């Protein structure tokens, strides 16, 4: 190499460090910077990141309740079927798209048809909106992690949660007043999220997930094994797994299995496509899909056994029926478990912090994943360095999440979460399925998917995407709409309309703005 070439390489490295796109462009080293910022170092980092993305708060508080309330052991039949006919095929599709195009979802859809670009922005923006309230839940967990060292939730955890954490009003009248503990904890997590995400993948997300995911599995194993030693644990497990075969004829059971698959595996939410686009060559794509699915399912089932073993202990000690204490969502995490830790005694000073720290790790790795699709789309279209894109998104996201930190925050959170999950997300998954199955030649993905994989896919997979997925997803969406209509009130409709406008306007702006060319 000549002195000129050595000097140019050195300047490219400096440009990469300074995240200066103008200097990058002048020197012709944009590709070097992008590769450093948006590529996994190895397949292990990718696996840990993707497992971290799909394993979140819902795996801990939702699956066990869904299993318990939908026929117990009988639920495993629709659950496994749903994973095989919907979860695995769609994940394979997303892996293939990311690995083949090495691009953001908006650019991939634009390549298929320029009119589809806005759909990619909508999907990426929706998962960003989920992030803005999901981070508040993680903030609550951080508060409880601190409280767990001295059982600061008092002898009445329910009153403490209502009067100190959510301080909720069932309308918008409390929007002007912040809940101080929630504001402080959530702001801290936004800063932490930015500190991790604004770095390149190797320096930020990879290092964090490579450390946190193994720790998460170890901590949950300790908690579950401990739960098996509690008196009454058999009561909880029997109630959890006792099969009620009559549920197999109940469509709600099958809908619950489909919904659990969609949200547990984060399918159709741009996360998998984005993470797969960062993959190095020679990755065994289909093999990795199965690893992620198996890891997610094992974690869900194993955690459910631990949760209901602890609930069984609560039944044994208090005499309250399991039906009265078994719940899902924030009630389980921030009311029921603190009640149980109050009963356990001094052991709770170890198990309590361990439990809430495990929940925090699961939440944080999901938060990092929620940022990636919109960040990649912005970086690719406008040639903005990752550091700048993440900084803009974290500031914008923090401002949006402020509404959930108010006295009306819990009310708005419930409305927005229901609207996005029951209506918007499932609809966008259906649209993606139709586009990729019918307006794009799926067989073009087969060489990419099969090249290095030990397990191959072919025509059966293509037919599953084209025919099976649209039917199952459409049924799930219709029932979600019915539920939304039946439960909506006037104030909730106003919130939903405002968010629908936001979901249309922001992606429209991102679509209309001209791309920057290298």
């Amino acid at each position: 190499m000549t002195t000129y070439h050595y000097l140019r390489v050195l300047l490219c490295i400096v440009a990469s460090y300074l995240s200066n796109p103008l200097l990058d462009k002048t020197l012709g080293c944009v590709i070097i910077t992008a590769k450093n910022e948006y590529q996994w170092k190895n397949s292990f980092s990718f696996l840990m990141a993707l497992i971290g993305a799909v394993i979140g708060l819902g795996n801990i508080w939702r699956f066990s309740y869904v299993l318990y309330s939908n026929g117990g052991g009988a639920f495993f039949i629709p659950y496994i079927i749903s994973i095989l006919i919907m979860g695995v095929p769609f994940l394979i599709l997303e892996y293939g798209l990311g690995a083949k195009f090495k691009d953001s979802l908006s650019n991939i859809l634009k390549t298929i048809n320029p009119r589809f670009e806005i759909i990619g922005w909508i999907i990426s923006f929706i998962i960003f909106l989920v992030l803005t309230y999901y981070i508040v839940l993680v903030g609550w967990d951080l508060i409880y992690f601190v409280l767990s060292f001295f059982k600061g939730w008092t002898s009445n955890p329910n009153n403490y949660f209502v009067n100190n954490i959510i301080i909720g009003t069932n309308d918008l009248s409390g929007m002007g007043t912040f809940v101080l503990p929630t504001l402080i904890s959530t702001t801290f997590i936004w800063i932490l999220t930015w500190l991790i995400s604004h770095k390149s993948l190797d320096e930020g997300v990879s290092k964090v997930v490579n450390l946190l995911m193994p720790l998460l599995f170890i901590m949950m194993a300790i908690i579950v094994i401990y739960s098996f030693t509690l008196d009454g644990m058999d009561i909880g497990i029997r109630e959890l797994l006792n099969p009620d075969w009559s549920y197999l004829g109940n469509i709600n059971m099958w809908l619950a299995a489909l919904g659990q698959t969609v949200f547990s595996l984060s399918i159709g939410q741009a996360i998998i496509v984005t993470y797969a686009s960062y993959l190095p060559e020679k990755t065994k794509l289909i093999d990795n899909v199965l690893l992620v699915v198996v890891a997610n399912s094992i974690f869900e089932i194993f955690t459910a056994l631990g949760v209901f073993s602890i609930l069984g202990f609560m039944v044994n000690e208090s005499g309250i029926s399991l039906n009265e204490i078994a719940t899902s969502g924030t009630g389980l995490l921030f009311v029921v478990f603190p009640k149980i830790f109050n009963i356990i005694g001094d052991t709770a000073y170890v198990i309590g912090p361990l439990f809430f720290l495990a929940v925090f790790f699961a939440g944080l790795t999901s938060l990092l994943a929620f940022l990636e699709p919109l960040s990649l789309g912005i970086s690719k279209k406008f040639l903005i360095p990752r550091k700048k894109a993440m900084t803009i998104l974290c500031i914008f996201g923090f401002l949006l999440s402020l509404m959930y930190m108010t006295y009306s925050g819990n009310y708005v959170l419930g409305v927005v979460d229901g609207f996005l999950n029951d209506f918007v997300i499932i609809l966008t998954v259906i649209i993606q399925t139709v586009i990729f199955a019918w307006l794009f030649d799926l067989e073009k993905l087969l060489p990419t998917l099969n090249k290095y994989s030990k397990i191959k896919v072919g025509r059966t997979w293509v037919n599953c995407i084209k025919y099976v997925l649209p039917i199952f997803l459409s049924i799930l969406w219709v029932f979600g709409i019915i539920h939304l209509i039946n439960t909506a009130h006037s104030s909730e409709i106003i919130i939903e309309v405002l968010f629908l406008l936001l979901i249309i306007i922001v992606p429209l702006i991102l679509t209309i703005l001209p791309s920057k060319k290298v």
Side-chain angles (χ1 to χ4, degrees), residues 351-365:
I351 296 299
L354 202 63
F355 174 75
F356 287 111
L357 186 61
V359 173
F360 179 74
F361 285 174
L364 180 61
T365 52

Side-chain angles (χ1 to χ4, degrees), residues 132-133 135-137 140 143 161-187 190 398-414 416 495 499:
T132 62
Y133 65 79
I135 198 168
V136 176
L137 301 176
W140 291 350
I143 294 170
F161 183 59
V162 171
N163 296 324
N164 295 275
I165 305 300
I166 57 175
I167 315 179
T169 59
N170 290 322
D171 51 40
L172 300 176
S173 62
M175 287 292 284
T177 308
F178 288 108
V179 180
L180 192 57
T182 302
L183 177 64
I184 294 171
S185 63
T186 307
T187 301
W190 267 117
F398 170 74
L399 294 174
L400 280 176
S401 68
L402 285 173
M403 75 177 82
Y404 304 112
M405 304 178 215
T406 65
Y407 281 29
S408 295
N410 188 50
Y411 168 71
V412 177
L413 190 155
V416 174
I495 296 172
F499 268 82

Side-chain angles (χ1 to χ4, degrees), residues 40 46 50 53-54 86-106 108-109 112 119-120 123-124 127 261-279 283 285-286 288-289 292-293 369 373 376 425 428-433 436-437 440 442 445-446 448-449 457 461 465 469 473:
W40 301 116
F46 165 71
L50 199 50
V54 299
M86 189 170 70
V88 172
F90 205 101
L91 281 180
I92 292 173
L93 169 64
E94 294 191 284
Y95 270 53
L97 291 168
K100 179 178 177 62
F101 288 95
K102 300 288 185 186
D103 214 333
S104 65
L105 181 61
S106 52
I108 292 172
L109 288 166
I112 296 173
I119 297 172
I123 295 165
S124 301
I127 201 63
T261 300
V262 170
F263 297 108
S264 176
L265 293 175
S266 300
I267 67 173
Q269 298 170 36
I271 294 171
I272 287 89
V273 171
T274 303
Y275 271 3
S277 72
Y278 304 156
L279 276 169
T283 301
L285 297 175
I286 301 173
N288 280 334
V289 168
V292 169
V293 171
L376 181 65
I425 291 177
T428 58
V429 177
I430 294 171
I431 292 170
Q432 288 177 81
T433 304
F436 293 124
F440 171 75
L442 279 178
L445 293 181
L446 294 178
T448 302
L449 288 167
V457 293
W461 170 75
I465 298 292
L469 258 66
L473 287 167

Side-chain angles (χ1 to χ4, degrees), residues 85-86 250-259 262 421-423 426-427 429-431 433 467-484:
I85 66 171
M86 189 170 70
N250 187 338
I251 190 170
N252 290 323
M253 181 193 201
W254 294 86
L255 291 172
L258 292 172
V262 170
N421 287 332
D422 289 340
F423 174 70
I426 299 295
L427 178 59
V429 177
I430 294 171
I431 292 170
T433 304
Y467 303 108
V468 178
L469 258 66
I471 294 172
F472 278 86
L473 287 167
S474 297
I475 293 171
L476 183 62
W477 184 69
V478 168
F479 276 87
I481 291 296
I482 293 171
H483 177 265
L484 199 67

Side-chain angles (χ1 to χ4, degrees), residues 122 138 272 298 400 450 511:
I122 287 173
V138 181
I272 287 89
I298 289 174
L400 280 176
N450 293 329
T511 303

Side-chain angles (χ1 to χ4, degrees), residues 29 38 58 84 136 170 183 192 195 217 271-272 303 327 334 355 419 443 472 479 514:
C29 49
Y38 289 103
L84 292 177
V136 176
N170 290 322
L183 177 64
L192 179 62
L195 287 172
F217 283 110
I271 294 171
I272 287 89
T303 302
T327 182
F334 304 124
F355 174 75
F419 175 63
E443 296 195 6
F472 278 86
F479 276 87

